[in-house]
Amino acid sequence: MGAPTELPWWTDKVGYEVYIRSFADSDGDGVGDLRGLHHHLDYLAWLGIGIVWITPFYPSPMRDHGYDVADYRGVDASFGSMADLEAVFAKAHDLGMKVLVDLVPNHSSSEHPWFISARSSKDSPYRDYYIWRDPAPGGRPPNNWTSHFGGSAWTLDATTGQYWCHLFLSEQPDLNWANPAVADEFDEILRFWLTRGADGFRIDVAHALVKHPEFLDNPPAAEFVRSDTSADEWGALEHLYDANQPGVLDVYRRWRKVVAPHDGLLLGEVYVLDAEKVAEYVRGEDGLHLGFWFKPLHLAWEPGAIREVLVAGAQAAPGLLAWVSGSHDRGRAASRFGGGNVGRARALALSTLLLGLPGTPFLFQGEELGLENGAVPREQAQDPVARRTEAVGRDGSRTPLPWAPGPGWGFTDGPRTWLPMDGRTEADTVAVQRADPSSMLHRYRALIDLRDAQPDLRRQPVEWVGEDGPVVAYRRGAVIVAANCGDQPSSFTPPEGAWVVAFSSNRDGEQQPAGGDVVLAPHQAVVLTR
Ligand code: NOJ
């Protein structure tokens, strides 16, 4: 008998975000690189990871740490060489893992040759690769759009007298997706990476490539919510016209054809906190294959809210979402949920819930160690958000990974790291946790192993168990996943049957039969099987 169903390969894998600058440094310059990643790929395979997403490694002035690409077909010398990258692809494949590269199609670097030419003259053949508008009366910016990183989304070019559009830094000019030549360029960029060995793409800012053709002013936000990770000016507006335009789906329709011969994956960073809207990107046969569902990164530890966010994602686009509880753009889950042992236990409980839902879960590096945010004093901030605005910024989740006790924490042999690693402890490290079967690392490994071993967790429909109360639980065929999201011990009653506790986040009761009522400690999660 062949495989039970024809589900795509990513359904059966757990992904992992490698934030390349902070994963592992092989040459002592304090910045992670491709050889460092190559060296530790066997760790990821040991953990049970099936998809490795590598954040941008392209030549870049690094104004936004690689999300400002100066050459879409190269490797920045600080990360190594094309040969190093190909070695990563080859070794990952040997270990049974797929690799996603991070495609940044919304904007390039201002140092990309396209933009250098475009801004040199209105007659440049590349002028229309970017979005240019005449000043509004009085010389003001063409509309009220704002940048994620503070200030207007428009910068005036003195040479040509027009403004260029940038939803991020002015050094990240937005590409003009209304120009078919831009689409042609990207078809070839995708093909370039697929033929080099990439298995697909994480697509940066996947919801915003296409802008409203009339560039209308955005209305004020119905509700202003201050963010740690973007400027107030950004949060003050409802992003009606600079994102989420229906035309963006034409881009993905095209890309589906490009990746199809390679069975490549299109995974979108659809940063839209409405499950029905994310679903529009992935429903049907010609959209993105998967979209990240980011609402869990915005959750307070409250059972009603957690249930609502999980149910919304699971119902809006079953099997088509990538589940995450952290990324290089948000504070780490363990810190968001209160820090210390409680924060760590809550983060593991949420991961337990996410790993069994339909779709593909992704861990952010260090989550498997229960890491909290690194301590980065304001004067050492590197993130443009922190340097340009009052916001806390994203550095806390981006500090280097502690691999082993000792100087440089096994991350580097060099004297310093690009972000500080102060405050890490021996217990945080991969080496110490790998040697300790009771560690967080072994909990995550056991969880992934269980997901692999239970096809029902990947194939059966989800039935939610109970509609309120502190225990959030669901059943998929012969598996039940439950987490106590309250602060008191709580019980739930599994459907009739002889259930066994196959996984218990704090190890209590593991491998024991579950009784008629299962009592969970605060922040404890279990997986029951029969
Ligand atoms: C999303 C990326 O994850 C983030 O790090 C970056 O700053 C923006 N997109 C702009 O590329």
Side-chain angles (χ1 to χ4, degrees), residues 210 245-256 286:
V210 172
Q245 304 302 304
V248 74
L249 295 176
D250 294 339
V251 177
Y252 304 131
R253 219 159 273 141
R254 221 178 140 120
W255 290 2
R256 274 293 274 261
D286 57 0

Side-chain angles (χ1 to χ4, degrees), residues 101-121:
V101 303
D102 205 323
L103 191 71
V104 191
N106 180 67
H107 45 265
S108 72
S109 160
S110 55
E111 292 183 29
H112 194 291
W114 295 339
F115 190 73
I116 293 174
S117 170
R119 75 184 291 186
S120 69
S121 153

Side-chain angles (χ1 to χ4, degrees), residues 17 19 53 64 67-68 102 104 107 149 168 172 202 204-205 269 271 327-329 383-384 394 398:
E17 177 186 352
Y19 188 70
W53 149 33
D64 188 20
Y67 285 97
D68 45 330
D102 205 323
V104 191
H107 45 265
F149 297 160
F168 296 88
Q172 293 169 293
R202 176 267 187 189
D204 192 57
V205 203
E269 189 216 14
Y271 221 112
S327 84
H328 66 285
D329 289 329
D383 177 15
R394 305 169 292 179
R398 297 178 173 187

Side-chain angles (χ1 to χ4, degrees), residues 20-21 24-34 76-80 411-419:
I20 186 74
R21 295 181 71 79
D25 172 25
S26 72
D27 61 4
D29 66 355
V31 174
D33 50 44
L34 291 163
D76 195 89
S78 65
F79 297 132
F411 169 76
T412 185
D413 292 336
R416 64 187 69 82
T417 51
W418 77 283
L419 281 172

